[in-house]
Amino acid sequence: MNDRLLYAVAGLLHDIGKFGQRADVGFYSSEELSQQSKSIAENICNKAQSGYYTHQHVIWTNNFLEKFKSFFQQAHLYGSGENNMFNLAAYHHRPITKEQAIITLADHWSSGMDRNTPMIAEKVEKAGKDKFRSTPMVSVYNELQTQQNKDGLGVAQYGYNINKLSIGETILPQKITTLNIRENYSRLYTDFENSFAQIKCVTQNSAIESIYHVLKLYTSNIPASTIDYPNSSLFEHMKITGAFADCIAEYGNEQPDALIYQKGGRLTIKSGHYPAMLVCGDISGIQSFIYSISNKSAMKGLKGRSFYVQILAEALSKELLLKTGSSIINTVYAAGGKFYVLLPNTTKINEALQSFNIATQKELWKEHKGKISLNIGKVIFRMETVSGILKAVTIDAEKDYEVGELWKLVGEKTSEAKKTRFDGIIESEFNQLFNPFGEGGEITTCAVTGEELKSNEMVDLDADDIEQGDSTNIVSKSVATQIKIGKALYGAEYLVKYKLDKKDGFKIPGGGNWDILHINDHFHSVESVIKLNHNANDVHLNTAAQIEHTAGIGFKFYGGVQMASAKGKILTLEQLCYNEVDNTTDKLGVLRMDVDSLGQLFMRGFKKETASFSKLATMSASLDQFFSGYVNTILLQPQYAANINIVYSGGDDLFAVGRWDKLINFGIEIRQKFKEFVCNRNDITLSAGLAIVGAKFPIAKAAQLAEDAEKKAKDYKYVNKEKDAINLFGISLNWQEEMPFVLDCKNDLIDWLEREYISKGLLMKMFDFYTLYKNKKPDWRWQSTYTLSRYKKIAKSNESKESIEQIQNLLFTGNYKNQFAAISFDAFIVACRWAELIHQK
């Protein structure tokens, strides 16, 4: 167990043969399998009682590895002897050494089941020898249980075609009965091997990063298993297996007696030993950091700051993996200002984790003076079958947790770490922490944040980077960098990490040197080249020849790469609000959205007997794919592209700005598409808050108003249903029950106003009555009765009378057009306000 990276790679590739097998014909008829691969089937496959080879995919795993043997050797990922990387991967169903059995155990920990039992072999045979080629990957949202629905959808109704990872419409699951799976495997596998053949990396970490992303691109929509619960992604399963293999192997190096190997290939962990730790890194201070700016360069500044924070979490995750001798395979999840990694629980790695934490806090303090900090929590555990269910047993008093509960536990540990986040810098930065700072009086301040600046901290903004004519253009170096990032993101193609300091790039405190590029001819002295994908129809990696062979290649989804622009320049907040109908500036909308009760979905979403690390990773990845990727597909539609910019979208939430009316429709469409994404379920929801302000209103305050609105939406209860709401014009409405009425009524009111069936004066009277209603004054009833009767009496047409009768009926019975029942005054007034704003234009 000398080279730990070989175990991670063996775990990452152990099931790649499932892809090849499903793209091929049967074992005996295959022309793709080499003679060498066929000859070892007896040694690496299990057998059913009938003599039929089960788990035949390992033959194709071996075949794939042998096909690219020269690449793995050049990248120093082959190893030597009986436990070379190929044997570690191919023998995981019939291991003949302790080392090979590590992959077997890691596979069990990842999938949540022991795939080597006779029962599984029997299931494989009974399921039919060809079923695995036509079974689609089922959406995880079929199975998820909620407080409202303990059985999910009951049966697998929605799934995905066998396609490359996408951010287009294929992200939305389809009815399984409409899918045609078999014919896609062969084509996709050919594309996969062609992409794999283009990897030219010769160093271990760069090769691993490239392998990782090629696998992610081609195996994310392939089921890990077609026998039991095919809703775990093959990629996520292989990734987690690789991470666990690394944890077990490295722990075994330090504690060789902890791994008990029995003949027959079974490996167990001795009682009292805990090989793995789940580590969470959480960037705190994100909200106040992003929004504590003035309107100067606001669009670029907001975009740059949000991207900076997002990359900060991912860059620190990479740096932690590097410091602990790990690889990208150990990453469980990194998005939304957080990262989760699985690391071996060894003395050396715990010390490296502690050193990394202290060093990073110092770097962040040096750059941000406590406004942003990294909080790290960890849970040390092993996986163990308890009462027939695979659980995580922690070092804390041998307590066991369901897999999802482990996420909550590490989250709690991370929150606790916030209390001690400055411990590592108290001694060196005592004066700045506890004594007054700043000079006051006549001193230059940053035009964006208002912070006092010393002479060596000042940067004079270029004229192109100024949005409003303030008295000074002086900003801090960090703000100038963030504006530069926001500007560079316009149409950006690549995110590049450099080995050394790059003059034109930017530094991530504790996370290395980075830059954002639009062309691919400047890739020199780089560690990795990440393609920023926003094209729904063509998600890909870049394997251009000019990338050095020491650089890893990858890809990343980023919400809002394409920003509203004119003549090659990013639109200002005021320009976003332009109304082409009457050539005026409209109001600005600020939208916040995120998934409801996500923590509960992770903790309790999967049934105890079916929960697994792979499924949780699959769900995390799918949510980020929706928010980081698919929202671009919605945004780039003509009705939104010119008037809306996404400030941030990733993980499970979104923040966007734009012309208020366009932004409302944008939020409605996101909600509708999210519902389709979660298999049209009404019990897996998201909530939103939208603030509408003047175009020159301070953006920091507008962002706070939108956050407050979102909180009100999440606190909203409609009948017996909580959350699942939008707060609009200060009023919360249930998406499912109330918003359809608001949309319909708003359209009617606009039509009636335009046709002069009702007057603007009548509409304004509704606001007066609503004020009385909210103040609990019963006068609103008789006043509205009198007013509406008077308007009806002087109506000039039957259509006008009918319109007023509709309003009367709505106010006093809650019914509208015999289509909506029990409608509240609150919902009606939202429709009135919306119609009134549109009618103004």
Side-chain angles (χ1 to χ4, degrees):
M1 291 185 281
N2 292 326
D3 194 337
R4 57 180 282 208
L5 289 180
L6 297 186
Y7 289 88
V9 175
L12 181 66
L13 292 168
H14 80 290
D15 271 353
I16 192 59
K18 290 181 176 180
F19 193 4
Q21 182 190 20
R22 295 169 195 174
D24 201 358
V25 293
F27 168 64
Y28 295 103
S29 306
S30 173
E31 295 180 1
E32 298 295 324
L33 292 175
S34 67
Q35 192 55 45
Q36 183 267 348
S37 293
K38 286 187 175 183
S39 68
I40 66 169
E42 180 76 21
N43 300 322
I44 62 177
C45 292
N46 288 323
K47 279 187 178 181
Q49 290 183 347
S50 64
Y52 165 72
Y53 284 141
T54 66
H55 308 90
Q56 289 184 15
H57 64 273
V58 293
I59 305 169
W60 277 265
T61 292
N62 178 80
N63 199 68
F64 171 81
L65 296 173
E66 288 289 341
K67 185 172 185 176
F68 293 99
K69 186 172 183 177
S70 62
F71 161 73
F72 288 108
Q73 289 176 326
Q74 289 175 5
H76 310 288
L77 292 174
Y78 177 72
S80 61
E82 185 178 30
N83 294 311
N84 62 63
M85 190 272 284
F86 288 18
N87 286 346
L88 292 175
Y91 277 81
H92 71 272
H93 280 298
R94 289 193 67 185
I96 57 175
T97 68
K98 177 199 287 189
E99 290 76 12
Q100 292 166 14
I102 287 172
I103 311 300
T104 311
L105 184 59
D107 180 27
H108 178 196
W109 285 12
S110 172
S111 66
M113 65 182 70
D114 188 345
R115 300 186 189 275
N116 274 2
T117 64
M119 180 184 68
I120 293 294
E122 217 173 291
K123 276 188 176 184
V124 172
E125 189 172 26
K126 284 182 178 178
K129 299 175 184 178
D130 210 36
K131 181 187 174 186
F132 59 87
R133 290 190 176 90
S134 58
T135 300
M137 179 173 156
V138 174
S139 169
V140 290
Y141 303 101
N142 279 281
E143 181 185 349
L144 278 185
Q145 55 184 6
T146 63
Q147 288 185 340
Q148 297 82 21
N149 190 342
K150 299 298 184 184
D151 296 314
L153 292 182
V155 294
Q157 297 182 25
Y158 294 88
Y160 305 94
N161 248 321
I162 303 301
N163 286 314
K164 191 168 69 167
L165 196 62
S166 167
I167 55 173
E169 294 302 317
T170 57
I171 191 178
L172 306 176
Q174 304 170 53
K175 284 280 189 179
I176 285 177
T177 52
T178 68
L179 300 175
N180 189 357
I181 302 302
R182 290 192 58 158
E183 62 186 31
N184 287 355
Y185 264 119
S186 179
R187 170 190 54 77
L188 191 65
Y189 190 74
T190 298
D191 292 345
F192 162 67
E193 284 202 337
N194 288 339
S195 290
F196 199 93
Q198 293 180 56
I199 302 175
K200 307 298 182 185
C201 309
V202 294
T203 62
Q204 280 189 327
N205 274 303
S206 62
I208 290 171
E209 183 171 11
S210 302
I211 294 167
Y212 176 96
H213 282 100
V214 172
L215 287 173
K216 181 176 182 179
L217 186 60
Y218 286 97
T219 65
S220 289
N221 287 335
I222 295 175
S225 169
T226 57
I227 301 300
D228 292 280
Y229 315 106
N231 57 1
S232 178
S233 156
L234 179 60
F235 170 73
E236 296 297 337
H237 166 65
M238 293 192 297
K239 178 186 77 175
I240 299 297
T241 300
F244 274 134
D246 174 50
C247 293
I248 298 167
E250 187 64 4
Y251 188 82
N253 273 335
E254 182 177 273
Q255 304 278 352
D257 294 337
L259 308 187
I260 304 171
Y261 178 67
Q262 300 171 342
K263 285 191 176 181
R266 187 170 181 80
L267 184 71
T268 56
I269 305 299
K270 192 174 182 179
S271 178
H273 288 271
Y274 308 87
M277 55 180 171
L278 180 62
V279 178
C280 175
D282 182 16
I283 308 297
S284 63
I286 290 177
Q287 301 296 325
S288 58
F289 173 76
I290 292 178
Y291 308 125
S292 60
I293 62 174
S294 71
N295 279 32
K296 176 182 286 294
S297 296
M299 195 62 252
K300 299 187 191 94
L302 280 171
K303 193 72 175 173
R305 283 183 166 226
S306 67
F307 187 80
Y308 173 84
V309 170
Q310 183 179 359
I311 296 304
L312 177 61
E314 296 178 31
L316 292 178
S317 171
K318 280 192 170 186
E319 194 68 16
L320 173 59
L321 295 174
L322 182 66
K323 297 295 186 187
T324 56
S326 310
S327 73
I328 193 172
I329 299 169
N330 294 70
T331 305
V332 178
Y333 175 74
K338 283 186 179 182
F339 64 80
Y340 295 86
V341 295
L342 280 167
L343 295 177
N345 176 35
T346 65
T347 302
K348 181 179 178 181
I349 289 177
N350 274 286
E351 289 173 352
L353 176 61
Q354 178 66 12
S355 298
F356 166 81
N357 190 16
I358 294 173
T360 301
Q361 296 294 9
K362 288 181 178 179
E363 288 289 328
L364 288 171
W365 176 266
K366 183 179 177 182
E367 181 69 19
H368 298 295
K369 302 298 185 289
K371 295 182 180 67
I372 291 180
S373 61
L374 174 67
N375 311 299
I376 290 183
K378 66 180 181 181
V379 176
I380 297 169
F381 70 99
R382 69 173 183 269
M383 301 300 292
E384 185 177 298
T385 301
V386 180
S387 301
I389 298 172
L390 190 68
K391 290 191 172 184
V393 180
T394 66
I395 197 170
D396 302 323
E398 281 274 318
K399 190 171 182 180
D400 61 79
Y401 295 86
E402 293 175 34
V403 174
E405 291 177 322
L406 206 62
W407 258 254
K408 180 187 177 185
L409 183 60
V410 76
E412 291 171 349
K413 299 279 188 183
T414 307
S415 294
E416 289 174 13
K418 290 182 181 179
K419 302 172 185 176
T420 58
R421 62 185 182 276
F422 296 132
D423 283 5
I425 59 173
I426 286 177
E427 185 175 347
S428 59
E429 305 292 345
F430 182 87
N431 288 333
Q432 290 202 52
L433 274 169
F434 298 107
N435 291 331
F437 59 88
E439 299 178 16
E442 293 293 327
I443 190 168
T444 303
T445 59
C446 175
V448 172
T449 64
E451 298 171 338
E452 294 183 3
L453 299 177
K454 296 179 181 178
S455 58
N456 63 344
E457 297 173 336
M458 300 178 191
V459 176
D460 198 347
L461 285 179
D462 295 335
D464 285 348
D465 293 331
I466 301 169
E467 292 198 4
Q468 295 183 4
D470 293 345
S471 58
T472 176
N473 303 325
I474 302 298
V475 298
S476 68
K477 285 183 178 179
S478 61
V479 167
T481 297
Q482 290 143 20
I483 291 173
K484 176 185 173 183
I485 292 171
K487 188 176 179 180
L489 281 169
Y490 171 59
E493 294 287 336
Y494 303 100
L495 176 65
V496 182
K497 184 179 183 186
Y498 286 84
K499 295 176 183 176
L500 303 171
D501 190 5
K502 186 174 183 290
K503 183 178 179 181
D504 296 331
F506 59 93
K507 278 183 174 291
I508 294 291
N513 304 287
W514 298 75
D515 202 1
I516 298 166
L517 299 178
H518 296 72
I519 53 176
N520 64 0
D521 60 358
H522 292 93
F523 299 144
H524 305 295
S525 300
V526 301
E527 285 186 24
S528 61
V529 178
I530 301 167
K531 182 77 173 64
L532 294 172
N533 281 280
H534 47 80
N535 187 329
N537 300 315
D538 186 25
V539 175
H540 65 281
L541 300 100
N542 185 290
T543 52
Q546 49 271 63
I547 299 177
E548 297 168 328
H549 290 178
T550 56
I553 57 173
F555 68 93
K556 173 181 175 59
F557 299 137
Y558 176 60
V561 169
Q562 294 296 326
M563 290 181 275
S565 62
K567 297 180 181 179
K569 292 185 178 181
I570 301 168
L571 297 184
T572 65
L573 293 174
E574 194 169 350
Q575 288 169 336
L576 282 177
C577 298
Y578 176 71
N579 192 316
E580 63 281 357
V581 175
D582 57 3
N583 297 320
T584 60
T585 299
D586 219 322
K587 290 184 177 293
L588 177 73
V590 181
L591 175 68
R592 300 284 298 269
M593 307 180 84
D594 75 4
V595 178
D596 294 323
S597 306
L598 187 60
Q600 286 298 315
L601 290 178
F602 271 92
M603 276 197 304
R604 307 291 185 196
F606 296 102
K607 295 178 181 178
K608 295 178 181 180
E609 61 272 18
T610 66
S612 70
F613 260 88
S614 296
K615 287 184 181 181
L616 291 169
T618 298
M619 185 165 71
S620 296
S622 73
L623 285 170
D624 189 59
Q625 185 185 358
F626 181 90
F627 283 98
S628 294
Y630 182 69
V631 291
N632 291 293
T633 302
I634 301 174
L635 177 69
L636 294 179
Q637 295 178 83
Q639 64 266 36
Y640 305 129
N643 295 101
I644 294 173
N645 275 334
I646 291 175
V647 175
Y648 171 78
S649 187
D652 73 308
D653 63 345
L654 172 142
F655 177 86
V657 296
R659 206 176 87 188
W660 73 276
D661 53 337
K662 303 280 189 180
L663 199 61
I664 295 175
N665 292 331
F666 180 61
I668 290 170
E669 186 161 355
I670 288 175
R671 187 264 173 184
Q672 179 55 44
K673 292 298 184 181
F674 181 78
K675 184 180 177 183
E676 293 179 38
F677 172 70
V678 296
C679 304
N680 289 301
R681 292 181 59 168
N682 292 323
D683 54 341
I684 301 175
T685 61
L686 54 75
S687 290
L690 194 142
I692 299 175
V693 297
K696 295 183 179 181
F697 191 83
I699 188 61
K701 179 62 176 174
Q704 183 60 57
L705 292 175
E707 183 180 0
D708 293 343
E710 185 186 32
K711 288 178 180 176
K712 289 176 182 176
K714 287 189 175 292
D715 290 337
Y716 183 57
K717 187 173 182 179
Y718 177 80
V719 190
N720 292 320
K721 183 157 188 166
E722 298 177 344
K723 304 182 181 181
D724 187 26
I726 178 173
N727 185 275
L728 181 60
F729 304 120
I731 295 172
S732 296
L733 302 164
N734 178 268
W735 281 115
Q736 184 76 14
E737 304 296 335
E738 295 178 291
M739 273 304 287
F741 156 77
V742 170
L743 287 167
D744 193 39
C745 184
K746 175 262 300 183
N747 291 335
D748 286 341
L749 290 169
I750 293 170
D751 182 56
W752 296 342
L753 286 165
E754 290 177 351
R755 295 174 183 270
E756 297 185 352
Y757 294 165
I758 64 173
S759 67
K760 177 74 174 291
L762 175 60
L763 192 65
M764 300 309 292
K765 284 288 184 182
M766 296 301 108
F767 299 119
D768 295 336
F769 302 148
Y770 182 71
T771 300
L772 294 172
Y773 166 80
K774 291 304 288 183
N775 290 330
K776 298 183 179 180
K777 293 185 178 181
D779 298 20
W780 76 268
R781 290 185 176 277
W782 70 261
Q783 287 192 26
S784 60
T785 301
Y786 172 78
T787 300
L788 289 168
S789 297
R790 186 169 63 83
Y791 272 97
K792 184 177 175 181
K793 187 175 182 179
I794 62 174
K796 296 178 180 179
S797 66
N798 289 331
E799 290 85 357
S800 179
K801 289 181 180 179
E802 289 173 1
S803 302
I804 296 169
E805 284 175 357
Q806 291 278 18
I807 295 174
Q808 282 181 313
N809 191 47
L810 173 63
L811 283 177
F812 298 111
T813 69
N815 296 318
Y816 188 68
K817 298 195 321 190
N818 296 321
Q819 297 175 21
F820 303 98
I823 298 300
S824 68
F825 203 156
D826 297 294
F828 175 54
I829 212 66
V830 170
C832 291
R833 179 61 174 154
W834 195 345
E836 187 260 337
L837 282 175
I838 290 178
H839 186 65
Q840 283 181 6
K841 311 305 290 185

